[in-house]
Amino acid sequence: MENPENVIEVRNLEIDFHTYAGEVKAIRDVSFDLRKGETLAIVGESGSGKSVTTRSLMGLLAPNAEIKKGSIMFHGEDIIKKSEKDMQHIRGKDIAMIFQDPMTSLDPTMRIGMQIAEPLMKHKGLKKKEAVAQALEMLKLVGITDPEARINDYPYQFSGGMRQRIVIAIALVCYPEVLIADEPTTALDVTIQAQILDLMKDLQNRIDTSIIFITHDLGVVAGMADRVAVMYAGKIVEYGTVDEIFFNPQHPYTWGLLNSMPTLDTASGSLRAIPGTPPDLLDPPTGDAFAARSDYAMKIDTEKQPPFFKVSDTHYAATWLLHPDAPKVTPPAEIVRRQKKFAEMQKPEAPFAHTASKE
Amino acid sequence: MRKYLLKRIFYLFLTLFIVATVTFFLMKLMPGTPLQNEAKLTATEKAAILAQYGLDKPVWLQYFIYIGGIFKGSLGLSFQFSDQAVSYLIGSRMGPSMQLGGQALVVGIILGIILGAIGAIRKDTWADRLATILSILGIAVPSFVLAILLQYYLGLKTGWFPVAGWEGFAYTILPTLALAASPLAETARFIRTDMVDVLSSDYIELAKAKGLSKFGIVYHHALRNSLIPMVTLIGPLAAALMTGSMVVENIFSVPGIGEQFVKSILVNDYPTIMGVTIFYSALLCLLLLLTDIVYGIIDPRIRLSGNGD
Amino acid sequence: MADNLKDIEIKPGDFEPLDKTAGPDNERIAAPSLTFGQDVWRRLKSNKTAFTSFIVLVLMFLIAFGGQAVYHHDPNAQEPKYANLPPKIPGVGLHGLNGHLNQSGKDVDVYAAAGAGKDVHYILGTDYLGRDLLARIMYGTRISLEIALIATLIDLTIGVGFGILSGWKGGRVDLFMQRVIEILSSIPQLVVMVLMATAFTKTGMASIIAAIAITGWTTMARLTRAQTLQLKNQDFILAARTLGESAPKIAWKHLLPNLSSVIIIQTMFTIPSAIFFEAFLSYIGIGISSPQASLGTLISDGQKNFQFLPYQMWYPAIVLIILMLAFNLLGDGMRDAFDPKSKR
Ligand SMILES: Nc1ncnc2c1ncn2[C@@H]1O[C@H](COP(=O)(O)OP(=O)(O)OP(=O)(O)O)[C@@H](O)[C@H]1O
Ligand SMILES: [Mg+2]
């Protein structure tokens, strides 16, 4: 491990999918770290490779996937090199996962108590009785009312929000070091979404786990994450702390994402979606993949991949706009506003800096 | 649930009533009487025999007598075996047929589940291909061809099994195998298709994320979810077994209902044909009803709501 | 991860704004887009088993329906003195194909023993009445296929008609029609067939066709109904309805094309089932009767001599099995090909 603070270190990950049309280059040189106890959000449009990245951490890639390059270090060992048997001891115990759709994530024919107890029996070697007893504790923890009565119910007897709580209980029952939440609230309606997010934050504090939080909705990131990685077309294009990404974004794609996000202080008229569609990963463009959709594209963007330019110790962005020789451009008005706010926040004497990060 | 049951039972009787009626009138259309060597009989003898069978009465009256008889468990008298009641005939031949059918169903379903599960778990490997070929062959090779081949090669030529007859368990092995091929194949195909679906579902993904072993996933999650809908296949499988039993019992000289049915057809023993027809239909209807009830009980998704689709 | 800026080689003009009109078009779709039909065909072709089955079926049809134009032998011509001759192909010395048989340990030239001249040879041998087995198998296959195809056609018409009507009308009509199907499908298929075949035994082929068609259509009706129910409320159908198109026209122009995949797949399974039931009925003696032949009667005839002349049953049985296999495999392939979920 390069840094003892890190739980997971992903380096230069490249993943292809074999399809009849050719090789889909889904992940193209992705590197990131996950620190102890932090929440790292991965945001990006649909198809940008968020799920594939996280599935590779679990060793749960589709059979047509091939890891071309890179390493995923966990406890000083490369997960990619581990056998399926070894992975089974990591999954659900050290790294757990919550899926998008709670309506289909639970086995319809098994009592939920048993479903929560299963990882305990597998990883902690508990007898069924003890495991179910712990499952009951977990049910209480995730806020199921009257857990004693409901532990023997089947999934269809619960609402979507309740089911997602049960899925969370399953994921956390072994107190994993890392929790991967792949759009855990996308399938839920807004009020339930907030409850589930609160629950996750609360549980994170109690059982001290690192979370990788995947979403395409920047709105939920602000209250949830410590750091954010922005993905586009199989690459991370910018990463930094929540404040840095929200208030001092550098990559035109991040600008676009923020611009398309409704916030309380956005003038409702300035909201706009990013035009165009992501590139075809069968044949990714040579330069900056976002160039074709960017108003700020330069000639070099079509020729060379931009490297990561350092913005601060914690903030990097892969865009040629940060090259010292590049002309200075003016970001969209909304971004300029955010950057101004950021500058104020940076002033040490600011009386109460408004931060969007976790307390 | 109760209302549903009552409705189903009503339809069961309606179905049987229709079967009995149609069968009765179809058989009335046919030439043929219980008189075996008509030429030699005198007019009074003929009349006596016809009266014994109730054939001297007008057709509509015969019909009511027949339907009424069914409620009392009577299916008339056989033409072929003079003065033997059809219900007795069926009853005395039920044992071997039920044993064969039951054995074939159990063997077929168990082997079919194993074969289908292997196919699904090892999808697109040689094991899957082998399982698929076996199950396709089970469907493509008709039971009578299989029966003849088994009888000749495993019975006559090698002498491993008795060739024909019904004198103990050894005699049941070949006919059971011949009969089991089709339910085996159908089960294997059903389970494979269903399990491939199940294995790609989200809850299996979650089970993988729990760190369960491949075996644990299949045993605790996939199999259970695939086996529940399998219950609905039992009725159709039994229907296919009835078909198979006609030829298989015949080939192996098993004294069962199927063998009798073929004989009755060939000698135009109409009362027996009608009786067996109604018996088979009743059996299938009952089985369908039973499997429906069982399905409702074992599938938690429809257990409480009481109305599945 | 900080990059050394000096390593990046920058050319003059690199930071010029990009002329978007000249830029590469990233909205081009790289995977070739195929029409539904092309896609199905491509996937069918890529499925080797299904494609082989298709070729095999084409060959079987050609031989069954056109074979007699090449192989001029009367399937019904009896030649009692040449009864039960084994296969003999001129010029082939292989045992089993050279007209010799093992009789009580001795190799006997059966053709010579029967007093047949040098020019007499039956490629697949003869049956117990001295009829040419190859001719009879071609003839029997044709009859079997004819029965199966006609029965399937009737089955299809009734099933699709019933299904569309039931699904389209909905309400009470649908409810009633569903009950009818429910009742019919709880009667064992075999029972109906045997009844039909015995009741109308004089009519031969027609009664078998009727027996098979009457019992087979309920599955088709169920599938079409389910599909019709789904389609009924889709926009293009609703549009056609508001435009005042007549129901039959909508059914023909809009429903049927969308039902076609379901119908085609189901047909692929109805045909082998019809072939099986024909063989079954003929085998137990209430189907096709001589001098007509079908695969069922040929197997039944061959069985009588199976112990001594196994080829008499093996050949028709193999033809029957190949037909059943090919149809089932093709059906499986079609189902995969039509299923958009199984994109590979
Ligand atoms: N099994 C697979 N076969 C082929 N391509 C795949 C496969 N799985 C993923 N991909 C491709 O990989 C890319 C990344 O997919 P991924 O599921 O990671 O996107 P995502 O960022 O999670 O999107 P979403 O927000 O929709 O979940 C997509 O272009 C997708 O088409
Ligand atoms: Mg995803």
Side-chain angles (χ1 to χ4, degrees), chain A residues 45-52 54-55 100 182-183 214 216:
Chain A
E45 275 170 304
S46 191
S48 53
K50 307 178 298 278
S51 298
V52 174
T54 47
R55 280 171 164 268
Q100 178 171 344
D182 193 347
E183 312 201 25
I214 298 179
H216 54 242

Side-chain angles (χ1 to χ4, degrees), chain A residues 289-323:
Chain A
F290 188 61
R293 296 168 75 186
S294 169
D295 293 338
Y296 305 91
M298 299 173 294
K299 197 157 153 275
I300 192 170
D301 279 327
T302 63
E303 291 158 4
K304 269 201 202 99
Q305 301 252 351
F308 274 110
F309 291 95
K310 183 171 171 179
V311 184
S312 77
D313 279 346
T314 50
H315 187 185
Y316 290 81
T319 168
W320 284 116
L321 290 176
L322 288 176
H323 193 276

Side-chain angles (χ1 to χ4, degrees), chain C:
Chain C
M1 247 171 290
D3 293 277
N4 194 343
L5 283 183
K6 289 182 200 84
D7 290 348
I8 305 171
E9 192 188 313
I10 301 291
K11 298 192 300 290
D14 263 355
F15 293 111
E16 294 286 304
L18 185 65
D19 180 8
K20 275 295 178 58
T21 50
D25 177 13
N26 82 322
E27 303 210 3
R28 163 185 60 95
I29 294 164
S33 79
L34 305 167
T35 67
F36 183 63
Q38 285 173 321
D39 196 33
V40 167
W41 178 240
R42 175 188 67 76
R43 283 198 261 169
L44 198 61
K45 266 199 308 195
S46 70
N47 182 338
K48 284 192 200 76
T49 333
F51 196 67
T52 315
S53 308
F54 179 71
I55 301 291
V56 167
L57 283 177
V58 169
L59 286 178
M60 298 281 265
F61 270 82
L62 279 180
I63 295 172
F65 287 89
Q68 267 150 325
V70 185
Y71 189 76
H72 313 275
H73 287 255
D74 183 352
N76 293 325
Q78 303 183 2
E79 200 77 60
K81 61 180 176 227
Y82 295 153
N84 291 329
L85 291 181
K88 179 177 178 183
I89 303 172
V92 177
L94 212 65
H95 190 84
L97 297 174
N98 60 358
H100 290 236
L101 267 186
N102 237 333
Q103 284 175 350
S104 44
K106 272 183 296 186
D107 187 53
V108 182
D109 182 348
V110 190
Y111 278 70
K118 277 263 177 296
D119 54 329
V120 177
H121 53 81
Y122 295 93
I123 294 179
L124 293 185
T126 58
D127 71 357
Y128 67 108
L129 291 176
R131 292 175 292 198
D132 184 324
L133 206 54
L134 176 61
R136 276 191 85 65
I137 289 178
M138 288 198 305
Y139 174 63
T141 311
R142 200 185 82 209
I143 301 276
S144 285
L145 285 176
E146 276 173 7
I147 291 177
L149 290 184
I150 298 174
T152 303
L153 203 68
I154 299 174
D155 170 310
L156 201 92
T157 319
I158 304 179
V160 172
F162 198 95
I164 291 186
L165 198 67
S166 178
W168 186 260
K169 288 275 179 197
R172 283 236 191 113
V173 179
D174 183 35
L175 215 63
F176 175 75
M177 292 177 95
Q178 282 319 103
R179 285 291 98 77
V180 171
I181 289 191
E182 220 166 88
I183 289 177
L184 277 181
S185 49
S186 55
I187 302 172
Q189 203 170 359
L190 139 93
V191 157
V192 184
M193 275 192 211
V194 167
L195 284 180
M196 293 290 299
T198 29
F200 305 107
T201 187
K202 291 277 138 16
T203 39
M205 217 163 130
S207 77
I208 298 201
I209 292 176
I212 296 173
I214 279 183
T215 53
W217 60 271
T218 48
T219 321
M220 181 70 85
R222 247 193 226 138
L223 293 171
T224 358
R225 171 180 171 271
Q227 199 74 0
T228 306
L229 280 178
Q230 272 181 20
L231 288 170
K232 193 163 81 167
N233 294 318
Q234 282 182 10
D235 290 342
F236 65 100
I237 301 276
L238 289 178
R241 281 172 105 171
T242 29
L243 286 176
E245 274 187 56
S246 66
K249 204 168 166 198
I250 294 178
W252 184 253
K253 260 180 60 188
H254 301 291
L255 275 179
L256 268 182
N258 283 289
L259 291 170
S260 59
S261 59
V262 172
I263 295 175
I264 291 172
I265 293 168
Q266 182 53 29
T267 306
M268 284 301 131
F269 294 108
T270 309
I271 297 175
S273 143
I275 293 177
F276 166 76
F277 274 112
E278 183 282 317
F280 177 85
L281 292 176
S282 298
Y283 173 81
I284 61 174
I286 47 176
I288 293 296
S289 46
S290 70
Q292 277 191 316
S294 82
L295 292 173
T297 59
L298 291 175
I299 291 173
S300 161
D301 284 348
Q303 184 201 351
K304 296 184 187 108
N305 267 331
F306 190 62
Q307 207 174 329
F308 309 106
L309 305 164
Y311 66 90
Q312 286 189 358
M313 192 194 88
W314 267 115
Y315 291 138
I318 287 174
V319 173
L320 177 63
I321 291 171
I322 289 180
L323 275 179
M324 300 277 293
L325 265 180
F327 270 114
N328 274 296
L329 289 171
L330 182 61
D332 279 351
M334 291 275 217
R335 183 157 48 193
D336 290 345
F338 274 117
D339 181 4
K341 268 194 304 182
S342 67
K343 257 223 159 56
R344 272 193 280 171

Side-chain angles (χ1 to χ4, degrees), chain B residues 27-75:
Chain B
M27 294 297 126
K28 280 296 146 198
L29 286 177
M30 316 256 249
T33 57
L35 312 174
Q36 265 148 17
N37 27 16
E38 213 170 337
K40 287 195 210 133
L41 299 173
T42 64
T44 42
E45 279 172 325
K46 276 188 201 170
I49 294 178
L50 287 181
Q52 185 196 354
Y53 284 94
L55 294 173
D56 50 342
K57 300 187 180 68
V59 172
W60 63 268
L61 192 58
Q62 288 181 33
Y63 171 68
F64 283 114
I65 292 175
Y66 189 73
I67 297 289
I70 293 177
F71 282 99
K72 285 180 265 164
S74 149
L75 294 166

